Amino acid sequence: MRRMLRFLLSPLIRLHARLLAPRMVYGWRAADGAWRAHARVSTHTCIESPELLVMGDHVFIGHHNFVDASGGLTLGEGVQITNHCSVLTHSSHRALRLEREAYWGHPAPAGYERAATAIGDWSFVGPHSVIAPGSRVGAGVLVKAYSFVRGEVPDFAVVEGQPARVVGDVRELDRAWIERAQPAAFNAAQREAYEAWVLRVGAAPRASAAAARGQAQVAGAGADAPDAQWAP
């Protein structure tokens, strides 16, 4: 009897799981009313205060992420946030310790931090990474898995670790791949378009990944200081 019951219920259980499984939804209505036709956002990602999220097109936000826009969040064109990531614009741990029982329901608890966060165009955030409040991640950045990022991250940087350090430059990785690629895989027009994009980003007055390589956040600023920068 039990075997027969399992046999009969198994298709229903599978169908139920399939209907509730994480899925990517195409298209996003931005806070300004514009339609981002190429954006993809998971049904199983939490976006807090979406009305304060400024998001470009071609953005990908995968499964099981917490995206906090309550303090103001900008995701540039083509940003990819993979899975199990936290992108934050507020921090409450200090306020929790300072206020304790009084924290609950407090409109402005002491020590509560709120700071706008931004991730530049075509940057990639690897799984299980945290982007802390007030961070400014440049364009074309690769954040490797399990990284804790706080402060300024230069354009084209490869960062990893806790706290994250600049360990490379994506342009070197990209050009090495391009040199190995067959023309059919990446033709001359694509190469020219890539280099033109690199030049456009490089023309902006921002820090370079090469100059910041091997550097970490200001040691004296503290792990949760809102003005922590990338420095020796």
Side-chain angles (χ1 to χ4, degrees):
M1 183 64 182
R2 289 183 179 178
R3 289 184 179 180
M4 179 61 70
L5 187 60
R6 284 198 297 266
F7 175 77
L8 293 174
L9 290 179
S10 181
L12 294 176
I13 294 172
R14 289 197 181 95
L15 177 60
H16 182 264
R18 189 173 300 172
L19 291 174
L20 296 180
R23 296 178 182 276
M24 299 305 299
V25 177
Y26 285 69
W28 177 265
R29 181 70 63 187
D32 62 1
W35 179 246
R36 307 295 189 228
H38 304 97
R40 294 148 291 162
V41 180
S42 170
T43 57
H44 283 54
T45 270
C46 174
I47 299 181
E48 189 170 285
S49 302
E51 70 278 6
L52 298 177
L53 171 60
V54 177
M55 190 169 87
D57 205 0
H58 297 276
V59 168
F60 174 93
I61 304 176
H63 304 315
H64 308 298
N65 296 298
F66 176 64
V67 178
D68 164 31
S70 63
L73 176 62
T74 300
L75 302 178
E77 185 87 3
V79 167
Q80 291 206 358
I81 300 171
T82 53
N83 304 302
H84 300 281
C85 298
S86 292
V87 180
L88 306 174
T89 62
H90 84 276
S91 176
S92 59
H93 71 88
R94 181 178 289 109
L96 186 65
R97 296 190 300 273
L98 294 175
E99 298 283 6
R100 299 178 304 286
E101 293 86 351
Y103 176 82
W104 190 89
H106 199 304
Y112 190 90
E113 177 191 343
R114 194 180 296 280
T117 299
I119 302 178
D121 297 348
W122 308 106
S123 287
F124 182 95
V125 181
H128 299 278
S129 293
V130 175
I131 310 296
S135 295
R136 292 289 185 271
V137 178
V141 169
L142 170 59
V143 178
K144 302 180 78 170
Y146 294 93
S147 295
F148 178 85
V149 175
R150 180 128 208 179
E152 300 285 339
V153 181
D155 296 330
F156 305 117
V158 180
V159 298
E160 68 175 4
Q162 301 173 352
R165 294 174 176 268
V166 177
V167 296
D169 189 315
V170 295
R171 291 168 294 190
E172 296 175 7
L173 303 177
D174 294 343
R175 286 164 179 156
W177 183 89
I178 291 171
E179 288 302 314
R180 297 192 303 269
Q182 297 296 323
F186 203 76
N187 60 40
Q190 289 172 303
R191 298 181 186 209
E192 290 178 7
Y194 171 81
E195 293 297 341
W197 169 67
V198 167
L199 286 174
R200 286 197 304 274
V201 174
R206 292 186 287 258
S208 70
R213 186 175 311 204
Q215 296 177 353
Q217 296 162 314
V218 174
D224 58 353
D227 58 349
Q229 303 291 315
W230 295 84

